[in-house]
Amino acid sequence: MYPYELFLGLGLYEIFMVLGFFLALLYFRFLADRIGLGAKLQNLVIVCALAALFGGYGCSVLTQAVYNALESGHFEITQSTGATFYGGLVGGTAVFLLVYFVAGHVWLGKGEPRRYLGQVTEIAAGSITVAHAFGRLGCLCAGCCHGRVTDAWYGIYHVYLQQKVIPVQLFEAIFLLALCAFLTWRFFKGKKGNLALYLMLYAVWRFFIEYLRADDRGATIVSFLSPSQLTAIVLFAVGAGLFVWGMLRERKHNSHGA
């Protein structure tokens, strides 16, 4: 890890976060161009992504504050509150969709945002994995979201703990990039359901990798599950529902076409 300032008050954590966001936008634009999505729609998505970035961050901090309150009985938001990815994902998605439909109705015309929503979400799934992967590299450098203490050869020295820990952030970054490659392959094969698969596959990964993490993330109403594990179960169910719904819808469309 390298939790030190490099220039202008910025460290590798902030640099990786910003890099991940812009690479995610480039990923979206590349795939959007490949399927012929118009410039106006792509610009709308960029505006939505910026709104989701700020809204999602606020939701991630608020969610972590709630988890902390469930554990301590005291709700507060300070510089040390922390943030949680799932809170940012859910909140950021809500902000994205709100701006997408409200601004899109004016920007693109009535009914147009809904028409392209499926294509946007198919690409967005991969974009999320790109941003998240680089964000985890930022976490690795900052030392947050760290794993359990270990003496294994793959452990890395944690400056603040002064011990070697499991680099779960690095493992997750590798998993997310592999997931991005898989979703991109499916996209070019013309397969649907990328967003649903992302929710399910990441949920499974996150549920089990939590057993290797050691940073305190508060509590939930289910005492034997971490906040992320409980959220992973819920989002897996959401992803499974979306996947089944998409299959049924495609089957119905194909049967009518026949």
Side-chain angles (χ1 to χ4, degrees):
M1 59 181 290
Y2 193 84
Y4 308 111
E5 179 182 325
L6 296 179
F7 57 88
L8 300 176
L10 301 177
L12 287 176
Y13 177 82
E14 292 81 10
I15 291 172
F16 273 118
M17 291 293 178
V18 173
L19 180 61
F21 179 75
F22 281 105
L23 287 176
L25 291 182
L26 288 175
Y27 174 92
F28 181 89
R29 297 211 71 145
F30 174 73
L31 294 192
D33 285 339
R34 293 297 296 266
I35 61 175
L37 294 184
K40 289 183 67 175
L41 176 60
Q42 292 189 40
N43 291 334
L44 171 63
V45 169
I46 292 175
V47 172
C48 294
L50 286 169
L53 176 66
F54 292 103
Y57 178 74
C59 290
S60 70
V61 174
L62 178 61
T63 303
Q64 186 59 59
V66 171
Y67 291 154
N68 295 342
L70 289 172
E71 184 178 53
S72 66
H74 178 63
F75 179 86
E76 65 176 1
I77 295 180
T78 66
Q79 290 185 340
S80 61
T81 296
T84 176
F85 168 74
Y86 267 141
L89 176 65
V90 175
T93 299
V95 172
F96 183 97
L97 291 175
L98 177 63
V99 177
Y100 178 80
F101 282 108
V102 173
H105 179 78
V106 178
W107 201 330
L108 301 178
K110 185 177 180 180
E112 291 299 290
R114 182 178 180 182
R115 176 185 174 189
Y116 293 107
L117 181 61
Q119 292 171 296
V120 169
T121 56
E122 289 294 323
I123 303 174
S127 294
I128 294 171
T129 60
V130 171
H132 195 184
F134 280 86
R136 281 299 181 224
L137 292 177
C139 292
L140 178 69
C141 295
C144 60
C145 310
H146 60 83
R148 297 182 181 277
V149 173
T150 182
D151 291 326
W153 62 268
Y154 52 79
I156 62 170
Y157 184 74
H158 196 286
V159 174
Y160 302 124
L161 298 178
Q162 296 186 347
Q163 299 181 85
K164 288 174 63 177
V165 297
I166 301 173
V168 291
Q169 312 98 315
L170 177 61
F171 297 161
E172 186 157 324
I174 294 172
F175 168 79
L176 286 165
L177 291 176
L179 179 56
C180 179
F182 172 65
L183 295 176
T184 305
W185 173 80
R186 294 188 82 257
F187 178 84
F188 282 113
K189 288 293 183 178
K191 299 179 182 294
K192 306 296 183 182
N194 273 353
L195 180 61
L197 278 175
Y198 160 73
L199 290 173
M200 289 189 292
L201 293 175
Y202 180 70
V204 172
W205 165 268
R206 186 59 182 270
F207 185 91
F208 289 105
I209 200 67
E210 281 291 298
Y211 289 114
L212 299 181
R213 286 179 60 165
D215 59 322
D216 181 32
R217 286 293 169 171
T220 66
I221 56 176
V222 182
S223 60
F224 58 88
L225 294 176
S226 73
S228 292
Q229 285 178 319
L230 180 60
T231 308
I233 293 173
V234 174
L235 290 188
F236 180 88
V238 172
L242 287 174
F243 192 77
V244 171
W245 176 75
M247 289 181 60
L248 293 176
R249 186 180 180 185
E250 186 173 359
R251 184 177 300 175
K252 181 179 179 180
H253 175 76
N254 292 337
S255 64
H256 285 170

